[in-house]
Amino acid sequence: SSWGERVVLRKLAIVNGVARADFSIELNGHSGGAEQVAQIRQQIEATLRQFRTVSDVLITVNGQPALLEP
């Protein structure tokens, strides 16, 4: 199975326009390079920005900044 099948969205909250998405540790366990990291982040952001109340996205892993953060 791929790493993506094991990733769990632990919590999602939208406060003051910021979507805070907290994922399980497996999100940091991919084997791709910087390009794949950028694609994963873009996919998460694009999904969350579909909601008109979301102006920014913060991605965390177990409550800590994700490796996906710029």
Side-chain angles (χ1 to χ4, degrees):
S1 69
S2 71
W3 69 271
E5 293 174 12
R6 298 184 308 264
V7 174
V8 175
L9 176 61
R10 295 169 21 107
K11 184 176 180 181
L12 175 63
I14 300 171
V15 179
N16 296 327
V18 178
R20 297 176 182 266
D22 187 50
F23 290 89
S24 61
I25 192 71
E26 290 84 6
L27 185 66
N28 283 341
H30 61 84
S31 59
E35 186 176 322
Q36 185 179 13
V37 169
Q39 288 176 344
I40 293 167
R41 179 172 180 77
Q42 288 170 357
Q43 290 173 353
I44 293 170
E45 284 192 354
T47 299
L48 293 172
R49 288 178 186 269
Q50 291 180 65
F51 300 96
R52 57 184 169 80
T53 57
V54 174
S55 59
D56 199 10
V57 176
L58 175 64
I59 301 169
T60 57
V61 171
N62 286 342
Q64 301 299 314
L67 296 180
L68 300 177
E69 288 298 308

